[in-house]
Amino acid sequence: MIALTVVLLVLHFLSKDTDDSNNNIAQEAKYWVGVGRADCTGPVAQVPLMGYANPEQVGGGLLSRLYSRAFIVADPQRSKRLVFVSADIGMVSQRLRLEVLQQLRSKYGGLYGQDNVILSGTHTHSGPGGYFQYTLFWITSKGLIRPALSSIVNGIVKSIDIAHENMKRGRLFINRGTVENSQINRSPFSYLKNPESERNRYSSNTDKEMVVLKMVDEDGHELGLISWFAVHPVSMNNSNHLVNSDNVGYASYLFEQEKNKGMLPGEGSFVAAFASSNLGDVSSNTRGPFCASTGESCDNPQSSCPVGGAAMCMAQGPGKDMFESTRIIGQNLYLKAKELYEEASQEVTGPLSSAHQWVNMSDVSVELNATHRVKTCKPALGHSFAAGTIDGVGAFNFTQGSVEGDPFWDQIRDQLLGEPSNETKACHKPKPILFSTGEMTWPHPWHPDIVDVQIAAIGSLAILAVPGEFTTMSGRRLREAVKSEFDSHGTRGMNVVIAGLCNVYTHYITTYEEYQVQRYEAASTIYGPHTLSAYIQLYRGLAKAINATEELPRGPEPPLFNVTTLTLLPALGVESAPANKNFGDVLEEVRQEYREVRTEHNFLTVEKYSSISSSWRAVLNDASWDTRWVFYWSKGSRGQSNVTIEWHIPAGAEPGVYRLRYFGHYKKRLLLLGTVTVPFEGSSSAFHVAAP
């Protein structure tokens, strides 16, 4: 009897502790919170991919869908709101942001605008290009491609719509921790130029800290998360032709599949964003650079090989191929985010505020100290820009670390594009200018002058929305300066995070010291050696405005050029099926049986047969990382095309009867109506998946 009493008492107190724990999450809500996710994939075949600037890298199929993930936080009265969007795209362009803001204004009036909306790109290098209005980006993207731009704009707006429609009373929690074995500094020789005393304050030449923001409703039900971590999504290299969201997208996929159990990818209410940060000099190819010609290391200041030069020096990921590397890095990010999410207990409370300004970054006067003032420059790219990086090499004989021009290339530049002015040359020293983009205006300016700078504060969390790729040390200096500014106004203990590739793309931002070395990141710091100092000054001004100690001028509005579509892509003509075949016919059948972890040739579903209901049910779709569809297109006289569907059957796949289905469209010519688009579908025969 005594033992029974003790057991009952223990159970009572355990139950009480559990109830108290749940009540701890379900206490009074501090904010209104909404989350939303929407597809923004766009065209996946024959469209240039954005990231490596490789004109040969065009879309040839789909590995994973691209999503826009939106998060809205409002104060209890819902009078103040902040929107953060992380989209699976290379970066946010000015054209993209302006079109999104136009749609939001037409739907919501002044509720969402440039002051309280942050758009951030994850920086996948495997998404469609063609959504820029500045001429430089048209070269490798083959112009402005309206279907790609519209898909991203509509996807972002739809994700915000979903978040807006699902606002709930909720609470926010923040946590941070270290991620190991997932990144290296790809320009360590530049990093070493930073003062030794500064470097000694840090244990690594990359930022290994991940910051996670957890969101729950007032009853403790899970809504979503945002993770910020500095790593380039370049596990998928520049030989890839499948549209996908790379390692950070795979981390989102794993987290959302875990929380949205029983749902297909892209479905379910829980939204997990793995957003970019100060990733400028940070690679996910953790084995470092090796010479493709000899196999030896090329971790040297020029990233060059004895045989083949810089074009042979390429970094390798942790896996045996780019698909495995993507999974390894993505899983590392997912597992750390999951741990931080589950352990998050520091609640975010306090008012919402934001500050935004448009700035002419080609003409910012920077006060370095009481006696010295410097200024930024008109945009320009250096010779080492053309060398690329160890993640994606450039072309010809360009190398990283070039502080002198090449007479051959300089002469070609002068004849084709015009010589840079002496003023621009002097402003950018020691950068030897390859493209003086700030002085090139045909058919439109080649680079932006007007740039967004923005901070959003949610209680103790400050999100710095930066318009480009800050290097590790640049990001540290910026965060430290903004935190110091908040501290000086009595707002102590702020959690300051950098959200990368926001609102408009301006390439890279290195420190002044890193700039002197002129590796790729420095050559791509387009506003000159004092770019970082200018941004630090500007973001300090934003922090002052948030603390209501300084009136912030609105600044000059950016242009929206009168161009809707301008593309060099070939027009899609009428298509025909192979001889004696119809659209949707299977050209090569599946086998009757497969065993786990076998790769076979294979927009698409994997369906499993249920003998109970005598019906087929989709268990995977084209957003699943185990499926791929590859589109082989050749113009030919008959305009024929083939599609290969692949399902890479993973370990643990449930045995049973399956089939593959494909859904597509083709163009058909009608005498009176011209060409029309006709849908079709095809299905494989049934096959068995057996246990090993």
Side-chain angles (χ1 to χ4, degrees):
M1 185 65 186
I2 293 174
L4 179 60
T5 303
V6 171
V7 170
L8 290 172
L9 284 170
V10 169
L11 289 173
H12 168 72
F13 284 112
L14 283 175
S15 175
K16 184 176 187 302
D17 289 343
T18 303
D19 290 341
D20 287 346
S21 175
N22 288 336
N23 288 337
N24 185 46
I25 292 292
Q27 288 174 2
E28 181 183 355
K30 303 298 190 297
Y31 303 105
W32 286 81
V33 181
V35 303
R37 176 185 54 250
D39 192 310
C40 64
T41 306
V44 299
Q46 301 304 306
V47 173
L49 301 185
M50 184 67 205
Y52 291 111
N54 179 1
E56 301 300 318
Q57 191 182 19
V58 298
L62 185 67
L63 175 58
S64 69
R65 286 198 169 269
L66 309 181
Y67 292 100
S68 171
R69 295 174 172 90
F71 305 83
I72 303 177
V73 180
D75 61 12
Q77 293 74 40
R78 288 189 279 185
S79 57
K80 289 187 177 180
R81 298 176 180 230
L82 296 174
V83 179
F84 182 84
V85 172
S86 177
D88 291 331
I89 57 175
M91 61 283 290
V92 174
S93 75
Q94 190 172 81
R95 178 85 187 201
L96 170 60
R97 176 170 168 82
L98 292 175
E99 290 200 15
V100 168
L101 292 178
Q102 279 184 340
Q103 286 202 23
L104 292 177
R105 191 179 305 114
S106 68
K107 285 190 171 191
Y108 301 105
L111 192 60
Y112 304 120
Q114 73 271 3
D115 293 336
N116 66 347
V117 173
I118 295 175
L119 305 182
S120 174
T122 63
H123 205 36
T124 176
H125 285 44
S126 296
Y131 55 94
F132 294 80
Q133 67 173 2
Y134 291 97
T135 304
L136 179 82
F137 305 107
W138 292 0
I139 296 174
T140 55
S141 293
K142 300 181 180 177
L144 190 150
I145 304 169
R146 172 48 65 179
L149 174 59
S150 294
S151 295
I152 302 171
V153 170
N154 295 338
I156 290 174
V157 172
K158 185 176 179 179
S159 68
I160 294 173
D161 289 341
I162 294 170
H164 175 84
E165 292 163 3
N166 290 281
M167 299 284 285
K168 301 177 180 179
R169 294 183 183 274
R171 303 173 68 196
L172 309 178
F173 298 86
I174 195 169
N175 201 3
R176 56 184 69 229
T178 301
V179 181
E180 298 289 355
N181 305 316
S182 300
Q183 49 171 204
I184 61 169
N185 192 306
R186 69 184 187 190
S187 284
F189 301 97
S190 299
Y191 182 87
L192 287 172
K193 292 299 180 181
N194 293 306
E196 184 178 7
S197 58
E198 182 179 35
R199 289 187 280 113
N200 288 341
R201 293 166 50 200
Y202 304 100
S203 60
S204 174
N205 61 5
T206 61
D207 276 340
K208 294 180 177 293
E209 185 176 73
M210 174 184 283
V211 177
V212 166
L213 183 66
K214 176 180 181 177
M215 304 177 183
V216 299
D217 69 15
E218 61 182 342
D219 297 319
H221 299 139
E222 299 174 310
L223 299 177
L225 74 89
I226 309 173
S227 161
W228 289 277
F229 181 66
V231 67
H232 254 84
V234 288
S235 294
M236 300 296 293
N237 61 44
N238 65 3
S239 69
N240 167 61
H241 292 275
L242 301 180
V243 168
N244 70 87
S245 50
D246 213 287
N247 47 47
V248 292
Y250 186 59
S252 288
Y253 168 82
L254 291 175
F255 214 118
E256 291 178 348
Q257 288 296 97
E258 166 71 21
K259 296 299 181 181
N260 299 316
K261 289 190 182 299
M263 308 292 282
L264 289 171
E267 298 178 353
S269 61
F270 189 93
V271 180
F274 283 73
S276 59
S277 192
N278 55 314
L279 48 66
D281 53 357
V282 186
S283 172
S284 53
N285 293 309
T286 54
R287 294 213 303 263
F290 290 86
C291 296
S293 51
T294 65
E296 61 186 297
S297 172
C298 49
D299 190 13
N300 56 62
Q302 283 70 46
S303 297
S304 186
C305 296
V307 179
M312 288 289 109
C313 183
M314 291 174 279
Q316 301 173 6
K320 65 179 183 296
D321 59 32
M322 58 184 170
F323 299 100
E324 185 178 57
S325 294
T326 299
R327 289 181 180 271
I328 292 171
I329 300 298
Q331 187 165 46
N332 289 349
L333 303 182
Y334 156 69
L335 289 174
K336 175 53 69 171
K338 182 180 178 182
E339 173 192 324
L340 297 175
Y341 178 89
E342 291 173 349
E343 297 176 357
S345 59
Q346 180 186 344
E347 187 164 11
V348 177
T349 61
L352 301 181
S353 53
S354 61
H356 170 276
Q357 190 176 35
W358 286 304
V359 179
N360 184 349
M361 275 302 295
S362 65
D363 189 25
V364 177
S365 179
V366 184
E367 184 177 345
L368 295 180
N369 52 49
T371 59
H372 288 80
R373 297 189 72 88
V374 293
K375 67 182 291 294
T376 55
C377 314
K378 291 181 179 179
L381 292 161
H383 275 248
S384 293
F385 162 76
T389 74
I390 60 173
D391 292 324
V393 297
F396 305 109
N397 60 339
F398 293 98
T399 60
Q400 295 199 64
S402 298
V403 292
E404 294 182 1
D406 183 297
F408 174 77
W409 292 112
D410 287 347
Q411 186 176 16
I412 291 177
R413 174 206 61 203
D414 294 349
Q415 291 177 354
L416 294 178
L417 303 172
E419 184 179 0
S421 68
N422 290 332
E423 178 188 4
T424 298
K425 288 180 181 177
C427 189
H428 278 272
K429 280 186 177 179
K431 177 196 292 179
I433 294 174
L434 181 62
F435 299 124
S436 185
T437 53
E439 298 174 317
M440 298 160 64
T441 59
W442 187 88
H444 294 286
W446 281 49
H447 262 148
D449 289 324
I450 309 304
V451 172
D452 298 69
V453 292
Q454 187 176 20
I455 295 179
I458 306 170
S460 57
L461 172 65
I463 304 170
L464 314 186
V466 301
E469 305 177 55
F470 278 62
T471 63
T472 299
M473 195 63 85
S474 291
R476 288 168 175 170
R477 291 185 189 178
L478 179 64
R479 284 197 304 264
E480 189 174 73
V482 171
K483 190 174 189 304
S484 174
E485 193 65 48
F486 276 108
D487 287 347
S488 70
H489 296 288
T491 312
R492 299 189 176 277
M494 290 293 286
N495 296 283
V496 180
V497 300
I498 289 176
L501 300 125
C502 292
N503 301 336
V504 56
Y505 186 59
T506 64
H507 297 264
Y508 287 75
I509 299 91
T510 66
T511 68
Y512 177 83
E513 295 84 358
E514 293 164 351
Y515 188 89
Q516 307 309 306
V517 184
Q518 280 299 297
R519 280 178 61 85
Y520 173 82
E521 294 82 12
S524 305
T525 298
I526 63 174
Y527 300 114
H530 302 293
T531 300
L532 175 60
S533 296
Y535 278 127
I536 288 175
Q537 178 175 286
L538 290 165
Y539 280 87
R540 276 186 174 274
L542 295 174
K544 289 177 183 176
I546 283 178
N547 285 278
T549 62
E550 187 174 281
E551 187 69 25
L552 196 66
R554 179 184 176 92
E557 288 195 33
L560 182 62
F561 300 140
N562 184 25
V563 53
T564 54
T565 297
L566 180 61
T567 178
L568 300 177
L569 291 179
L572 293 178
V574 175
E575 296 160 301
S576 60
N580 302 316
K581 292 287 185 179
N582 296 315
F583 284 97
D585 283 356
V586 176
L587 298 181
E588 183 179 348
E589 264 294 2
V590 296
R591 295 203 313 266
Q592 291 303 302
E593 181 173 303
Y594 293 93
R595 296 192 179 275
E596 293 176 2
V597 205
R598 290 288 302 274
T599 300
E600 298 296 331
H601 287 300
N602 75 96
F603 166 64
L604 95 147
T605 57
V606 176
E607 300 179 344
K608 188 173 186 294
Y609 185 74
S610 169
S611 58
I612 298 174
S613 62
S614 299
S615 62
W616 294 92
R617 179 176 64 90
V619 293
L620 295 172
N621 59 14
D622 57 18
S624 306
W625 279 80
D626 294 322
T627 62
R628 302 171 195 169
W629 77 264
V630 185
F631 181 82
Y632 297 104
W633 180 80
S634 57
K635 190 172 183 179
S637 60
R638 291 176 52 80
Q640 294 179 2
S641 57
N642 293 338
V643 168
T644 299
I645 302 298
E646 301 177 3
W647 176 28
H648 294 250
I649 303 173
E654 184 179 357
V657 179
Y658 292 83
R659 70 178 181 183
L660 307 177
R661 295 186 73 195
Y662 174 70
F663 307 88
H665 295 80
Y666 70 93
K667 283 198 171 184
K668 180 179 181 180
R669 186 178 302 280
L670 298 180
L671 291 177
L672 298 178
L673 300 177
T675 60
V676 295
T677 300
V678 182
F680 69 89
E681 62 181 73
S683 175
S684 75
S685 59
F687 59 92
H688 290 264
V689 171

